[in-house]
Amino acid sequence: MLKKLPLPVWTIALPILAWLAYFLPLQGIGGFGTAILVVFLIGSVLSAVHHAEVVAHKVGEPFGTLLLALAVTTIEVALIVSLMLTGGPGTEELARDTVFAAVMIILTGMIGICLLAGGVKFKQQEFSLDGVKAALVALTAILVLTLILPNYTTSMAGPSYTTAQLIFVAIISLILYGAFVLVQAVRHRDFFLPPGDDGNEEVHAAPPTKAVALGSGLLLLVCLGIVVLLAKALAPDIEDAVISAGAPKSLVGVIIAGVVLLPEGLAAYRAAKKNRLQTSLNLALGSALASIGLTIPAVAIVSIITGMTITLGIDTKSMVLLLLSQFTIMLSLGSGRTNVLQGVVLLTIFAAYLFTIIAP
């Protein structure tokens, strides 16, 4: 009799097959090859979510969600930097567009779906207000300093920073994100723990062994790596489809950001459906902070080394949507309890964001 594997076979097989498919010339055979890559991309995302949950169960909160956020963001940064170094004209706005898309997807789309799903199933959900406030205060400062302030500095024309200003903002971003991680993982870890066991059976379930957790951790990196590589490989096809549909090219960045964030989004959604809203918010807000707090310093280094001028300031329409999203999030998460209304409002803003990209 065969011994049962400690992890589902599909979570191991799909990412391995995805890596094999990536190195085969499947895109050369047309739409069928592209469809195969899309299937493996989705399968790798689902596998990543499973392995992230295994690791999170082993290390506990908030380290599990912090690990997933850092892993996804590190690979996201690598993707942006590689595209900047190998891309042509227009790459000076790539970091800004990707970061802004990621933040809007997280603040309005990801959190909106979690609040709506949790509210429909449980009517009302609770979370630690102290942890959310700590994340939001750091996120607000980073967003304004990196995406809005460049529009109003006068040392350099346009929505860009001078080299000295860019270095300063990069250091500030790292300090703010580092301070948040210190608060989340060391100084005030209790702020980010669920308020009680929420009646979840998983809280009392036996954690996986060290070997299983280590295996899932390695497979998580394998899954995230192929997700980003497939997203990059499929980007030209996505761009062609967007242009053929008559939509603006900026929609491509939104689609790619959505694919990269899909593992975290699914993990957050599943946590909300299990009445673990604190885990969902840890994932979402921690991911938003990591996305902008690590990306800006990375692209600043690339800009300084290559002499490339990068555009960071967003336009007026984007500023309105960003400030509306941040203000709504603060109101929605200001009481320590949520219901379906907050989810509906956030998803409405997300729909407005997507609609104004297509019809600016």
Side-chain angles (χ1 to χ4, degrees):
M1 185 175 180
L2 295 175
K3 185 178 179 181
K4 183 179 179 180
L5 292 174
L7 293 170
V9 175
W10 67 270
T11 66
I12 302 172
L14 280 176
I16 294 175
L17 292 174
W19 275 97
L20 293 175
Y22 175 75
F23 287 105
L24 293 175
L26 293 179
Q27 286 183 297
I29 61 177
F32 180 70
T34 301
I36 293 176
L37 293 180
V38 170
V39 170
F40 281 128
L41 173 62
I42 296 173
S44 298
V45 167
L46 296 175
S47 299
V49 173
H50 178 84
H51 293 305
E53 291 182 338
V54 172
V55 174
H57 192 191
K58 178 63 178 178
V59 302
E61 286 295 328
F63 299 109
T65 54
L66 177 62
L67 176 65
L68 179 57
L70 284 174
V72 171
T73 305
T74 300
I75 296 176
E76 178 188 354
V77 169
L79 175 61
I80 293 173
V81 170
S82 66
L83 289 174
M84 287 179 63
L85 293 175
T86 59
T91 54
E92 65 274 1
E93 299 178 353
L94 178 65
R96 178 200 66 184
D97 293 343
T98 305
V99 167
F100 177 64
V103 169
M104 290 299 296
I105 289 171
I106 292 168
L107 291 183
T108 58
M110 188 186 300
I111 295 181
I113 290 174
C114 290
L115 297 188
L116 179 61
V120 168
K121 187 171 183 179
F122 301 103
K123 292 187 178 180
Q124 193 173 65
Q125 290 182 297
E126 297 183 357
F127 58 89
S128 170
L129 186 57
D130 290 328
V132 168
K133 286 169 62 177
L136 287 176
V137 69
L139 182 60
T140 300
I142 294 183
L143 287 174
V144 173
L145 289 173
T146 56
L147 297 181
I148 296 179
L149 185 60
N151 292 317
Y152 301 99
T153 54
T154 57
S155 298
M156 184 175 182
S160 302
Y161 278 134
T162 64
T163 300
Q165 291 170 336
L166 189 59
I167 293 173
F168 175 77
V169 170
I171 294 173
I172 289 298
S173 298
L174 284 175
I175 290 174
L176 287 172
Y177 181 67
F180 169 75
V181 171
L182 178 65
V183 167
Q184 184 184 38
V186 182
R187 299 281 295 183
H188 299 285
R189 183 188 170 198
D190 55 306
F191 287 179
F192 301 87
L193 298 177
D197 63 11
D198 299 316
N200 287 305
E201 295 180 2
E202 290 189 359
V203 174
H204 306 289
T209 63
K210 288 184 179 180
V212 172
L214 180 60
S216 279
L218 294 175
L219 286 168
L220 173 61
L221 296 178
V222 170
C223 292
L224 294 175
I226 194 59
V227 164
V228 172
L229 289 176
L230 287 177
K232 183 178 179 180
L234 292 170
D237 296 311
I238 296 172
E239 183 175 338
D240 292 341
V242 168
I243 294 175
S244 299
K249 191 176 179 180
S250 57
L251 186 61
V252 177
V254 178
I255 295 173
I256 294 176
V259 170
V260 173
L261 290 170
L262 195 53
E264 288 174 301
L266 285 175
Y269 172 77
R270 290 172 64 168
K273 291 285 286 185
K274 295 174 183 176
N275 205 19
R276 292 160 47 206
L277 183 61
Q278 183 66 54
T279 299
S280 298
L281 295 177
N282 287 348
L283 271 169
L285 296 176
S287 177
L289 275 163
S291 180
I292 194 166
L294 297 179
T295 300
I296 299 304
V299 299
I301 293 173
V302 173
S303 173
I304 293 168
I305 293 176
T306 62
M308 179 190 304
T309 300
I310 60 172
T311 301
L312 289 181
I314 54 179
D315 58 26
T316 304
K317 173 181 68 72
S318 299
M319 277 194 286
V320 171
L321 288 169
L322 179 61
L323 294 176
L324 174 62
S325 303
Q326 191 72 358
F327 181 64
T328 306
I329 280 286
M330 289 180 176
L331 292 178
S332 300
L333 305 179
S335 65
R337 296 180 179 180
T338 62
N339 55 54
V340 293
L341 177 60
Q342 289 100 325
V344 171
V345 172
L346 288 173
L347 288 174
T348 301
I349 298 174
F350 182 58
Y353 163 64
L354 295 178
F355 180 76
T356 53
I357 290 176
I358 300 172

